[in-house]
Amino acid sequence: MKALCSGVLIAACLAPYMAQAAQPDDDPDKVARWLDFKSGTFKDRTIDPHGDAVIKLDAPARAADAAVVPIAINAQFPQTSTRYIKKLYLFIDENPEPYAGSFEFTPEAGLASIETRVRVEDYTFMRVIAETNDGKLYSAIRFVKASGGCSAPADKDEDAAESAAGQVRLQAEGQAIKGKPELAQLMVRHPNRTGMAMNQVTRNYASAYFIRKVEITYAGKPVMTANVNFSISENPNFRFYFVPNGSADLKAHIEDTKNKRFDGVVAINAQSSAQTSAMK
Amino acid sequence: MTTRSLRVLIGVFLLLASALAHADLSGMPVPKQIAPGVYALIGSADAVAPANHGIVSNNGFIVGPSGVTVIDTGSSYRYGRAMIEAIRKVTPLPVQLVIITHQAPEFVFGASAFRDNGVPILAHAKAAQLIRERCSICLANLRKTLGEDEMAGSRVTVPDRTVNGTTQIDSGGRTLQLLHFGPASTPGDLAVLDTQTGVLFAGSLVSNGRIPELRNEQISGWLAALENVHGLELKTVVPAFGAPLHGDAIMQTGVYLRELDASVKAAYKSGVGLTEAMHNVQLPAFRSYKLYAIAQPQNVQHLYLQLEKQ
């Protein structure tokens, strides 16, 4: 009996809190902010909620630092000129601005997968909607429990972070092979400020300042275009694919909310698969 | 006696034992005397959850001829109150000092109960600074996890006494050494040595059977601190989490740190992405440790992001 009472008490005391925080067993189809966005963006189009054959979303169930939650959006089939993922929409229900942005892909991407790190407010559903070239929509959903970093180092100097902004590192992972989707990584030094965080030392709020656009091209052709906001973590990092076909430049063009432009370039010398196997 | 009746008898005995153990606050450990005048309260070492009322970390107290010194205070005001009650059952002597070994949510929030009684609270200056700057976030997290009722009365309690390095003090008539080995598991770690008995409260430098959560550490400093602790001739080491340890057993924490550090570096160098590293950097020897499923990927992420900044 004693155990039962204390159980009831716990439930009673948690009740006011539960009313406001999202829980993993909530119905993701009944979140008001999502429904608003869905009707505004996709109108009456149906979204296949079991999009596993098209797109998978990988995010930690429990994140130690809400400011840096790594996510991987994995396309389940290669991009071809006849069938490809055109666009991915990223939506984080409980964030102050739930629509984190979109990633557009061409068939030249080879694989419409993307990895990045996002800010997550509180316990939330996170969803990715994939739009294929035939206009169909598919979704993948994860529930993420994130909390503020208890022991993160004290906030650094915002001015210093801003003056260092714009350093770009663009690289391909391993030896590129002609015709095979090649993994590349873009890292941009940037505060990507939300404008909503209080500096724990100065007790001030610095204004929002973030990267809003990333355009990736290979041999002058578009591969991936991201239109994003401050939901992307500080020092934005993107891993994506492109298909090399000889010697050409992979380029990144970045624009932030102060209309500053930053560029990165890396020369890619793709080998034929026969050459690489001969090397081994 | 049949096997069945024996089972029933054992069951009744276990129920009685647990009822005694949970006399005041449900789940409150009974202070265990591990050396003359030295008591340890051993938490469950699990992750903080409503079922364990946040009673997961270890803490303790040392009874001297003229007073009591408390080491760490648990995760809530309620726990701090229960600790005061538990001390009263052992001795009528007053609590003269609370020492906070480091800044982490499971160790600091009971301090508010002692402050209500006017007891001074001591920590390393850097731990005190982190408590001032960060603990409101920890408190909000604990409220979210444990609920408002469990955390009622808990507040950020910034230590009012600080030390900057290793210091010897007299507290309650016992000579205590507050050992600081430089930035290690946190920037302001203290370990508390009772010189009379050779018992060390190691704070977050040592964990037993539980994956340490890396937040603000410096691994090389931490490994050096463990070597230093190992070099002291200690009777018993009370870790941050898990049962008290002896001898070489404290070095398990160092083995974990070394293996983690090496495997994250190897994954990073080979171009493995963060998400994949969080899935695939596994340390099978530590899989049975508490918190492995939660803390291992978080630790991998933490070290991976540090490598990326270099």
Side-chain angles (χ1 to χ4, degrees):
Chain A
M1 190 57 201
K2 193 185 167 193
L4 182 69
C5 291
S6 67
V8 169
L9 277 174
I10 288 166
C13 81
L14 281 176
Y17 163 70
M18 301 238 223
Q20 52 186 344
Q23 295 296 327
D25 50 5
D26 289 352
D27 184 348
D29 294 328
K30 289 189 177 151
V31 180
R33 329 177 73 190
W34 159 245
L35 294 174
D36 283 351
F37 175 79
K38 185 182 165 195
S39 63
T41 307
F42 303 115
K43 316 287 182 218
D44 315 330
R45 294 161 68 189
T46 36
I47 300 175
D48 182 345
H50 305 289
D52 276 13
V54 174
I55 201 78
K56 281 186 179 163
L57 172 61
D58 191 343
R62 203 176 268 277
D65 182 357
V68 189
V69 178
I71 62 164
I73 305 168
N74 293 313
Q76 299 301 301
F77 58 84
Q79 302 276 91
T80 63
S81 56
T82 51
R83 187 177 185 228
Y84 63 96
I85 292 172
K86 205 164 70 170
K87 193 167 178 178
L88 299 173
Y89 302 78
L90 178 61
F91 195 88
I92 305 166
D93 289 10
E94 302 300 321
N95 275 10
E97 170 60 65
Y99 180 45
S102 67
F103 303 90
E104 288 163 78
F105 300 88
T106 62
E108 280 73 27
L111 202 59
S113 293
I114 191 131
E115 261 185 80
T116 187
R117 297 91 190 248
V118 293
R119 300 178 200 274
V120 173
E121 186 86 7
D122 222 302
Y123 291 13
T124 184
F125 284 109
M126 185 185 282
R127 38 189 117 215
V128 170
I129 313 302
E131 183 172 9
T132 45
N133 63 319
D134 57 7
K136 287 191 178 152
L137 300 166
Y138 304 86
S139 79
I141 301 180
R142 290 291 295 261
F143 192 87
V144 176
K145 289 181 177 180
S147 45
C150 266
S151 309
D155 298 62
K156 60 196 163 306
D157 183 347
E158 297 289 357
D159 294 336
E162 188 162 336
S163 63
Q167 199 184 318
V168 177
R169 221 159 90 198
L170 181 64
Q171 66 193 43
E173 301 292 344
Q175 174 60 54
I177 294 164
K178 280 183 194 174
K180 184 173 173 265
E182 164 72 5
L183 180 61
Q185 180 167 224
L186 172 69
M187 287 171 272
V188 188
R189 192 167 287 271
H190 202 286
N192 241 48
R193 284 197 307 260
T194 64
M196 294 174 208
M198 184 176 67
N199 183 309
Q200 297 287 321
V201 180
T202 65
R203 321 300 279 182
N204 289 328
Y205 292 83
S207 59
Y209 178 41
F210 54 89
I211 285 172
R212 58 179 173 78
K213 186 169 204 154
V214 176
E215 289 172 318
I216 305 289
T217 57
Y218 172 71
K221 283 184 173 173
V223 170
M224 191 278 287
T225 303
N227 287 289
V228 283
N229 63 20
F230 50 74
S231 288
I232 305 293
S233 306
E234 177 188 9
N235 298 329
N237 183 306
F238 303 97
R239 287 164 75 92
F240 56 90
Y241 289 87
F242 70 101
V243 183
N245 48 22
S247 294
D249 285 346
L250 181 70
K251 289 184 181 172
H253 176 73
I254 297 128
E255 295 175 16
D256 74 15
T257 49
K258 292 185 178 176
N259 289 323
K260 287 190 186 161
R261 285 139 209 270
F262 316 110
D263 291 281
V265 62
V266 59
I268 305 292
N269 293 304
Q271 296 183 345
S272 69
S273 51
Q275 260 175 302
T276 36
S277 49
M279 277 165 60
K280 287 174 192 165
Chain B
M1 186 182 282
T2 66
T3 316
R4 192 178 162 188
S5 61
L6 188 65
R7 272 198 197 130
V8 170
L9 199 65
I10 289 169
V12 168
F13 174 75
L14 286 175
L15 274 175
L16 278 173
S18 73
L20 283 172
H22 301 168
D24 291 318
L25 171 58
S26 173
M28 181 73 187
V30 172
K32 188 183 168 209
Q33 188 164 201
I34 53 173
V38 181
Y39 295 81
L41 289 87
I42 306 300
S44 72
D46 291 311
V48 168
N52 59 38
H53 305 272
I55 306 171
V56 297
S57 65
N58 298 338
N59 38 63
F61 57 94
I62 300 170
V63 182
S66 60
V68 179
T69 307
V70 167
I71 298 132
D72 290 326
T73 62
S75 42
S76 68
Y77 177 81
R78 185 174 289 172
Y79 184 88
R81 295 290 316 165
M83 228 181 145
I84 292 170
E85 292 303 314
I87 294 167
R88 270 196 202 130
K89 285 181 188 151
V90 172
T91 173
L93 290 169
V95 176
Q96 295 199 328
L97 180 68
V98 168
I99 300 166
I100 302 288
T101 58
H102 67 292
Q103 183 254 0
E106 303 90 343
F107 298 80
V108 300
F109 289 110
S112 43
F114 292 95
R115 173 149 296 168
D116 282 355
N117 291 358
V119 181
I121 295 161
L122 181 151
H124 189 280
K126 285 181 178 163
Q129 184 192 343
L130 279 169
I131 289 169
R132 184 186 305 113
E133 288 173 4
R134 307 298 301 184
C135 274
S136 55
I137 299 171
C138 303
L139 183 54
N141 290 344
L142 279 176
R143 285 210 173 103
K144 191 153 59 179
T145 310
L146 293 176
E148 296 291 339
D149 178 64
E150 194 72 77
M151 293 305 291
S154 305
R155 58 188 193 268
V156 175
T157 306
V158 180
D160 48 6
R161 289 193 189 172
T162 56
V163 295
N164 287 298
T166 294
T167 309
Q168 182 160 306
I169 61 166
D170 178 280
S171 179
R174 301 266 289 228
T175 303
L176 306 178
Q177 281 180 8
L178 312 180
L179 306 173
H180 175 66
F181 301 102
S185 73
T186 73
D189 291 332
L190 285 181
V192 181
L193 175 63
D194 177 51
T195 55
Q196 186 185 318
T197 58
V199 171
L200 182 81
F201 286 85
S204 111
L205 292 174
V206 180
S207 276
N208 182 10
R210 188 196 212 246
I211 300 295
E213 294 175 273
L214 275 53
R215 292 172 175 140
N216 213 348
E217 81 301 331
Q218 202 190 87
I219 287 184
S220 57
W222 194 343
L223 291 170
L226 286 167
E227 292 292 343
N228 272 307
V229 170
H230 191 229
L232 303 168
E233 290 195 359
L234 299 169
K235 182 180 182 287
T236 302
V237 172
V238 180
F241 297 97
L245 295 165
H246 307 277
D248 294 339
I250 66 159
M251 299 311 278
Q252 272 309 300
T253 300
V255 173
Y256 173 76
L257 293 173
R258 271 199 195 88
E259 290 189 11
L260 175 74
D261 192 43
S263 7
V264 174
K265 277 179 179 154
Y268 181 77
K269 270 188 193 156
S270 68
V272 170
L274 177 52
T275 297
E276 192 187 336
M278 288 168 74
H279 286 304
N280 294 348
V281 175
Q282 301 286 343
L283 299 175
F286 295 91
R287 216 181 271 274
S288 63
Y289 276 41
K290 291 197 172 185
L291 244 70
Y292 184 86
I294 300 169
Q296 175 66 10
Q298 292 180 351
N299 287 345
V300 170
Q301 173 181 353
H302 180 77
L303 294 185
Y304 187 104
L305 292 177
Q306 281 183 356
L307 291 170
E308 220 172 56
K309 279 180 192 154
Q310 285 169 10

XYZ file of all heavy atoms in Angstrom, chain A residues 53-125:
572
model
N 11.838 2.946 -46.447
C 12.473 2.489 -47.687
C 13.080 3.665 -48.454
O 13.820 3.472 -49.414
C 11.458 1.768 -48.564
N 12.769 4.882 -48.014
C 13.256 6.080 -48.698
C 14.272 6.821 -47.841
O 15.352 7.193 -48.289
C 12.071 7.012 -49.049
C 12.562 8.331 -49.619
C 11.145 6.316 -50.040
N 13.918 7.009 -46.565
C 14.753 7.852 -45.717
C 14.778 7.299 -44.290
O 13.778 6.784 -43.809
C 14.200 9.308 -45.734
C 15.275 10.294 -45.308
C 12.947 9.484 -44.904
C 16.266 10.595 -46.398
N 15.947 7.387 -43.649
C 16.041 7.018 -42.223
C 16.684 8.179 -41.474
O 17.593 8.825 -41.990
C 16.855 5.747 -42.047
C 16.030 4.507 -42.359
C 16.772 3.229 -42.058
C 15.858 2.038 -42.371
N 16.615 0.796 -42.490
N 16.178 8.408 -40.286
C 16.721 9.473 -39.440
C 17.387 8.829 -38.233
O 16.779 8.027 -37.528
C 15.588 10.415 -38.995
C 15.936 11.474 -37.944
C 17.020 12.422 -38.443
C 14.692 12.270 -37.548
N 18.629 9.187 -38.009
C 19.385 8.648 -36.882
C 19.731 9.815 -35.952
O 20.368 10.780 -36.368
C 20.666 7.997 -37.420
C 21.396 7.174 -36.370
O 21.106 7.347 -35.175
O 22.261 6.371 -36.760
N 19.257 9.725 -34.715
C 19.566 10.767 -33.723
C 19.634 10.083 -32.366
O 18.944 9.097 -32.145
C 18.484 11.843 -33.722
N 20.473 10.563 -31.454
C 20.566 9.901 -30.148
C 19.254 10.062 -29.365
O 18.650 11.131 -29.384
C 21.712 10.627 -29.444
C 21.876 11.918 -30.163
C 21.359 11.725 -31.550
N 18.813 8.993 -28.712
C 17.590 9.056 -27.917
C 17.775 10.027 -26.751
O 16.858 10.720 -26.337
C 17.231 7.668 -27.399
N 18.990 10.055 -26.223
C 19.290 10.934 -25.095
C 20.551 11.715 -25.435
O 21.592 11.111 -25.689
C 19.514 10.083 -23.852
C 19.312 10.784 -22.565
C 19.458 9.807 -21.424
N 18.196 9.218 -21.034
C 17.335 9.825 -20.212
N 17.617 11.001 -19.721
N 16.207 9.254 -19.886
N 20.447 13.015 -25.466
C 21.590 13.849 -25.840
C 22.098 14.589 -24.614
O 21.317 15.163 -23.859
C 21.187 14.830 -26.928
N 23.414 14.554 -24.414
C 24.003 15.168 -23.221
C 24.045 16.683 -23.339
O 23.953 17.393 -22.357
C 25.411 14.638 -23.007
N 24.180 17.175 -24.548
C 24.312 18.609 -24.736
C 23.321 19.060 -25.802
O 23.500 18.781 -26.982
C 25.747 18.936 -25.147
C 25.970 20.432 -25.302
O 24.988 21.198 -25.142
O 27.106 20.835 -25.574
N 22.288 19.761 -25.357
C 21.212 20.169 -26.263
C 21.709 21.094 -27.369
O 21.051 21.254 -28.389
C 20.112 20.857 -25.466
N 22.877 21.691 -27.187
C 23.397 22.623 -28.187
C 24.057 21.906 -29.358
O 24.248 22.494 -30.412
C 24.401 23.578 -27.537
N 24.416 20.640 -29.153
C 25.089 19.873 -30.214
C 24.524 18.452 -30.224
O 25.018 17.569 -29.540
C 26.621 19.810 -30.000
C 27.301 19.194 -31.220
C 27.202 21.182 -29.733
N 23.471 18.259 -31.007
C 22.874 16.921 -31.128
C 23.168 16.412 -32.540
O 22.653 16.956 -33.518
C 21.356 16.966 -30.865
C 20.743 15.582 -31.037
C 21.069 17.521 -29.468
N 24.027 15.398 -32.651
C 24.381 14.912 -33.988
C 23.220 14.141 -34.618
O 22.587 13.327 -33.948
C 25.566 13.977 -33.745
C 25.645 13.758 -32.286
C 24.707 14.663 -31.579
N 22.936 14.422 -35.874
C 21.900 13.678 -36.583
C 22.440 13.209 -37.929
O 23.323 13.845 -38.510
C 20.608 14.507 -36.800
C 20.868 15.750 -37.665
C 19.984 14.901 -35.473
C 19.598 16.369 -38.219
N 21.918 12.080 -38.388
C 22.270 11.566 -39.713
C 20.971 11.245 -40.429
O 20.128 10.519 -39.909
C 23.149 10.330 -39.592
N 20.795 11.840 -41.618
C 19.632 11.558 -42.448
C 20.154 10.693 -43.587
O 20.996 11.147 -44.367
C 19.000 12.861 -42.983
C 18.658 13.804 -41.825
C 17.766 12.545 -43.827
C 18.311 15.223 -42.261
N 19.706 9.448 -43.624
C 20.292 8.499 -44.570
C 19.311 8.096 -45.669
O 18.286 7.464 -45.394
C 20.787 7.251 -43.835
C 21.967 7.566 -42.923
O 22.913 8.244 -43.332
N 21.900 7.122 -41.688
N 19.652 8.462 -46.901
C 18.843 8.057 -48.052
C 18.992 6.548 -48.241
O 20.072 6.003 -48.043
C 19.310 8.788 -49.304
N 17.900 5.880 -48.620
C 17.916 4.424 -48.713
C 18.113 3.909 -50.135
O 18.071 2.709 -50.357
C 16.634 3.846 -48.098
C 16.479 4.181 -46.617
C 17.637 3.656 -45.773
O 17.879 2.455 -45.747
N 18.385 4.546 -45.125
N 18.288 4.807 -51.099
C 18.601 4.360 -52.458
C 19.450 5.429 -53.139
O 19.403 6.604 -52.754
C 17.319 4.066 -53.260
C 16.377 5.239 -53.363
C 16.560 6.214 -54.338
C 15.311 5.361 -52.477
C 15.700 7.294 -54.431
C 14.446 6.446 -52.561
C 14.631 7.413 -53.537
N 20.275 5.026 -54.120
C 21.133 6.013 -54.781
C 20.327 6.952 -55.676
O 19.258 6.589 -56.170
C 22.093 5.150 -55.599
C 21.433 3.830 -55.740
C 20.494 3.660 -54.601
N 20.848 8.154 -55.867
C 20.218 9.130 -56.755
C 20.468 8.713 -58.216
O 21.625 8.450 -58.586
C 20.856 10.518 -56.554
C 20.808 11.086 -55.157
C 19.513 11.796 -54.822
O 18.595 11.169 -54.318
N 19.427 13.091 -55.087
N 19.443 8.644 -59.010
C 19.628 8.451 -60.455
C 18.826 9.551 -61.155
O 18.011 10.227 -60.511
C 19.101 7.079 -60.929
O 17.688 7.031 -60.685
C 19.777 5.926 -60.195
N 19.041 9.715 -62.461
C 18.326 10.805 -63.144
C 16.823 10.521 -63.202
O 16.021 11.435 -63.305
C 18.889 10.981 -64.553
O 18.803 9.750 -65.234
N 16.447 9.252 -63.058
C 15.016 8.930 -63.139
C 14.357 8.871 -61.769
O 13.174 9.127 -61.636
C 14.800 7.580 -63.853
O 15.641 6.608 -63.235
C 15.124 7.688 -65.335
N 15.113 8.501 -60.734
C 14.520 8.448 -59.404
C 15.505 9.028 -58.396
O 16.618 8.514 -58.211
C 14.181 7.002 -59.029
C 13.397 6.949 -57.721
C 12.971 5.553 -57.343
N 12.125 5.612 -56.154
C 12.285 4.838 -55.102
N 13.222 3.922 -55.065
N 11.479 4.965 -54.072
N 15.107 10.109 -57.758
C 16.001 10.698 -56.759
C 15.222 11.507 -55.721
O 14.074 11.888 -55.945
C 17.078 11.557 -57.421
C 16.570 12.765 -58.189
C 16.539 14.031 -57.592
C 16.155 12.651 -59.511
C 16.106 15.132 -58.291
C 15.707 13.758 -60.223
C 15.686 15.000 -59.604
O 15.239 16.088 -60.303
N 15.886 11.715 -54.577
C 15.311 12.564 -53.528
C 15.671 14.003 -53.886
O 16.836 14.337 -54.094
C 15.862 12.178 -52.140
C 15.336 10.781 -51.754
C 15.456 13.205 -51.082
C 15.950 10.217 -50.498
N 14.634 14.817 -53.983
C 14.791 16.196 -54.418
C 15.074 17.109 -53.231
O 15.868 18.039 -53.308
C 13.475 16.625 -55.088
C 13.584 17.727 -56.080
C 12.314 17.792 -56.949
C 11.109 18.282 -56.123
N 9.929 18.582 -56.956
N 14.386 16.824 -52.114
C 14.475 17.757 -51.000
C 14.190 17.057 -49.675
O 13.324 16.190 -49.607
C 13.440 18.870 -51.218
C 13.591 20.086 -50.333
C 12.711 21.225 -50.866
C 12.786 22.456 -49.980
N 11.980 23.567 -50.522
N 14.941 17.462 -48.654
C 14.680 16.985 -47.296
C 14.300 18.181 -46.450
O 14.969 19.214 -46.494
C 15.938 16.333 -46.701
C 16.509 15.104 -47.402
C 17.841 14.709 -46.761
C 15.523 13.938 -47.318
N 13.205 18.055 -45.680
C 12.786 19.104 -44.758
C 13.079 18.609 -43.349
O 12.723 17.478 -43.006
C 11.283 19.366 -44.867
C 10.788 19.754 -46.238
C 10.605 18.794 -47.233
C 10.472 21.083 -46.533
C 10.124 19.148 -48.490
C 9.988 21.444 -47.784
C 9.818 20.473 -48.761
O 9.341 20.817 -49.995
N 13.683 19.452 -42.530
C 13.989 19.062 -41.147
C 13.137 19.889 -40.191
O 13.159 21.127 -40.237
C 15.480 19.277 -40.867
C 15.971 18.970 -39.445
C 15.734 17.507 -39.074
C 17.460 19.301 -39.317
N 12.390 19.195 -39.328
C 11.457 19.875 -38.427
C 11.656 19.340 -37.009
O 11.613 18.140 -36.777
C 10.023 19.616 -38.907
C 8.999 20.527 -38.295
C 8.706 21.755 -38.881
C 8.323 20.163 -37.143
C 7.741 22.603 -38.321
C 7.368 21.012 -36.577
C 7.076 22.225 -37.174
N 11.893 20.263 -36.057
C 12.130 19.887 -34.658
C 11.013 20.535 -33.829
O 11.049 21.733 -33.533
C 13.536 20.340 -34.194
C 14.606 19.773 -35.142
C 13.788 19.901 -32.753
C 15.989 20.399 -35.013
N 10.010 19.724 -33.487
C 8.737 20.240 -32.950
C 8.871 21.315 -31.869
O 8.204 22.336 -31.918
C 7.910 19.091 -32.360
C 7.358 18.162 -33.433
O 7.766 18.301 -34.613
O 6.529 17.297 -33.100
N 9.709 21.055 -30.857
C 9.701 21.936 -29.683
C 10.671 23.109 -29.792
O 10.777 23.907 -28.867
C 10.006 21.131 -28.412
C 9.030 19.981 -28.146
C 7.587 20.457 -27.978
O 7.375 21.507 -27.365
O 6.677 19.748 -28.476
N 11.402 23.217 -30.879
C 12.326 24.344 -31.013
C 11.551 25.658 -31.189
O 10.442 25.646 -31.728
C 13.264 24.132 -32.198
C 14.487 23.292 -31.820
O 14.538 22.732 -30.736
N 15.442 23.208 -32.712
N 12.151 26.775 -30.735
C 11.474 28.074 -30.876
C 11.091 28.335 -32.335
O 10.063 28.926 -32.606
C 12.517 29.081 -30.404
C 13.556 28.317 -29.675
C 13.465 26.887 -30.094
N 11.941 27.900 -33.254
C 11.634 27.971 -34.679
C 11.729 26.522 -35.166
O 12.812 26.057 -35.516
C 12.669 28.878 -35.364
C 12.647 28.871 -36.862
C 11.314 29.312 -37.447
O 10.958 30.473 -37.251
O 10.636 28.471 -38.078
N 10.602 25.800 -35.180
C 10.685 24.338 -35.395
C 11.231 23.944 -36.767
O 11.886 22.922 -36.889
C 9.236 23.866 -35.244
C 8.510 24.982 -34.587
C 9.236 26.251 -34.893
N 10.954 24.741 -37.780
C 11.446 24.386 -39.110
C 12.921 24.761 -39.200
O 13.270 25.936 -39.289
C 10.622 25.107 -40.184
C 11.054 24.792 -41.603
C 11.317 23.488 -41.998
C 11.183 25.808 -42.546
C 11.716 23.198 -43.294
C 11.572 25.531 -43.853
C 11.852 24.217 -44.216
O 12.248 23.935 -45.500
N 13.793 23.764 -39.150
C 15.234 24.015 -39.122
C 15.777 24.332 -40.503
O 16.824 24.939 -40.636
C 15.965 22.806 -38.542
N 15.064 23.891 -41.541
C 15.500 24.203 -42.891
C 15.359 23.021 -43.828
O 14.759 21.992 -43.485
N 15.933 23.195 -45.032
C 15.810 22.145 -46.045
C 17.154 21.888 -46.706
O 18.054 22.733 -46.671
C 14.796 22.569 -47.104
O 15.312 23.673 -47.829
N 17.253 20.720 -47.302
C 18.437 20.329 -48.071
C 17.933 19.851 -49.424
O 17.126 18.931 -49.492
C 19.195 19.205 -47.359
C 19.616 19.566 -45.964
C 18.775 19.315 -44.876
C 20.844 20.181 -45.729
C 19.155 19.663 -43.575
C 21.233 20.528 -44.435
C 20.382 20.271 -43.361
N 18.399 20.498 -50.496
C 17.963 20.100 -51.834
C 19.105 19.370 -52.527
O 20.267 19.763 -52.406
C 17.562 21.332 -52.642
C 16.250 21.930 -52.154
C 16.050 23.350 -52.664
O 15.672 23.481 -53.833
O 16.313 24.282 -51.892
N 18.740 18.325 -53.251
C 19.750 17.491 -53.905
C 19.438 17.341 -55.387
O 18.282 17.328 -55.790
C 19.769 16.092 -53.288
C 20.086 16.085 -51.824
C 19.065 16.226 -50.883
C 21.392 15.954 -51.376
C 19.346 16.228 -49.525
C 21.680 15.952 -50.017
C 20.654 16.088 -49.088
N 20.498 17.183 -56.166
C 20.348 16.844 -57.587
C 20.759 15.372 -57.741
O 21.332 14.785 -56.808
C 21.287 17.717 -58.437
O 22.637 17.433 -58.035
C 20.984 19.190 -58.263
N 20.517 14.786 -58.891
C 21.006 13.411 -59.098
C 22.530 13.336 -58.941
O 23.069 12.300 -58.565
C 20.586 13.107 -60.537
C 19.400 13.989 -60.790
C 19.679 15.248 -60.022
N 23.233 14.452 -59.196
C 24.700 14.497 -59.098
C 25.209 14.249 -57.668
O 26.401 14.057 -57.454
C 25.243 15.836 -59.606
C 25.348 15.954 -61.112
C 23.992 16.105 -61.794
O 23.040 16.610 -61.151
O 23.873 15.697 -62.966
N 24.304 14.303 -56.686
C 24.735 14.044 -55.306
C 25.085 12.568 -55.118
O 25.857 12.216 -54.226
C 23.638 14.453 -54.319
N 24.511 11.705 -55.931
C 24.798 10.277 -55.799
C 23.984 9.619 -54.699
O 23.409 8.561 -54.873
N 23.940 10.292 -53.549
C 23.202 9.781 -52.396
C 22.701 11.007 -51.627
O 23.498 11.867 -51.273
C 24.146 8.935 -51.530
C 23.551 7.907 -50.581
C 22.708 6.880 -51.336
C 24.678 7.195 -49.837
N 21.405 11.069 -51.387
C 20.845 12.257 -50.731
C 20.876 12.098 -49.209
O 19.876 12.237 -48.520
C 19.429 12.524 -51.231
N 22.064 11.778 -48.694
C 22.225 11.633 -47.244
C 22.934 12.861 -46.711
O 23.757 13.452 -47.401
C 23.069 10.400 -46.919
O 22.381 9.226 -47.275
N 22.627 13.213 -45.471
C 23.312 14.352 -44.875
C 23.448 14.149 -43.380
O 22.572 13.590 -42.736
C 22.602 15.679 -45.214
C 23.468 16.873 -44.832
C 21.241 15.792 -44.542
C 23.594 17.878 -45.923
N 24.613 14.567 -42.873
C 24.842 14.510 -41.435
C 25.164 15.907 -40.955
O 25.944 16.617 -41.594
C 26.079 13.652 -41.152
C 25.773 12.236 -40.754
C 27.056 11.505 -40.366
O 27.532 11.690 -39.236
O 27.560 10.786 -41.223
N 24.610 16.297 -39.837
C 24.953 17.601 -39.264
C 24.691 17.543 -37.764
O 24.425 16.480 -37.207
C 24.174 18.734 -39.976
O 24.656 19.995 -39.515
C 22.676 18.654 -39.726
N 24.806 18.683 -37.074
C 24.503 18.748 -35.634
C 23.507 19.865 -35.435
O 23.662 20.945 -36.012
C 25.738 19.053 -34.801
C 26.839 17.994 -34.873
C 27.787 18.336 -35.965
N 28.738 17.275 -36.282
C 30.038 17.366 -36.035
N 30.536 18.453 -35.480
N 30.832 16.395 -36.366
N 22.511 19.608 -34.615
C 21.460 20.606 -34.422
C 21.287 20.949 -32.950
O 21.687 20.197 -32.067
C 20.110 20.108 -34.986
C 20.177 19.990 -36.503
C 19.695 18.787 -34.367
N 20.679 22.107 -32.722
C 20.269 22.478 -31.370
C 18.885 21.892 -31.146
O 18.046 21.927 -32.047
C 20.170 23.989 -31.234
C 21.461 24.716 -31.509
C 21.209 26.224 -31.391
N 22.235 26.978 -32.076
C 23.399 27.326 -31.521
N 23.662 26.982 -30.279
N 24.280 28.008 -32.208
N 18.662 21.397 -29.955
C 17.353 20.817 -29.636
C 16.882 21.396 -28.316
O 17.599 21.376 -27.324
C 17.439 19.279 -29.528
C 16.130 18.713 -29.028
C 17.794 18.679 -30.875
N 15.703 21.957 -28.355
C 15.134 22.505 -27.139
C 14.305 21.410 -26.476
O 13.346 20.942 -27.060
C 14.233 23.693 -27.508
C 13.675 24.455 -26.350
C 14.641 25.530 -25.855
O 15.681 25.758 -26.490
O 14.330 26.133 -24.833
N 14.752 20.970 -25.303
C 13.878 20.115 -24.518
C 13.674 18.720 -25.117
O 14.440 18.288 -25.962
C 12.514 20.802 -24.382
C 11.978 20.660 -22.977
O 11.826 19.524 -22.522
O 11.729 21.694 -22.341
N 12.623 18.045 -24.669
C 12.261 16.729 -25.191
C 11.386 16.981 -26.414
O 10.416 17.727 -26.329
C 11.452 15.950 -24.154
C 12.238 15.509 -22.938
C 13.503 15.998 -22.657
C 11.690 14.580 -22.055
C 14.208 15.581 -21.540
C 12.388 14.161 -20.935
C 13.635 14.661 -20.679
O 14.326 14.241 -19.580
N 11.712 16.359 -27.515
C 10.990 16.714 -28.739
C 10.968 15.600 -29.778
O 11.862 14.763 -29.823
C 11.633 17.965 -29.385
O 10.866 18.354 -30.516
C 13.073 17.703 -29.828
N 9.948 15.620 -30.611
C 9.994 14.836 -31.838
C 10.845 15.609 -32.836
O 10.834 16.844 -32.863
C 8.596 14.650 -32.436
C 7.773 13.623 -31.702
C 6.692 14.008 -30.927
C 8.102 12.279 -31.790
C 5.948 13.054 -30.241
C 7.361 11.320 -31.106
C 6.282 11.713 -30.330
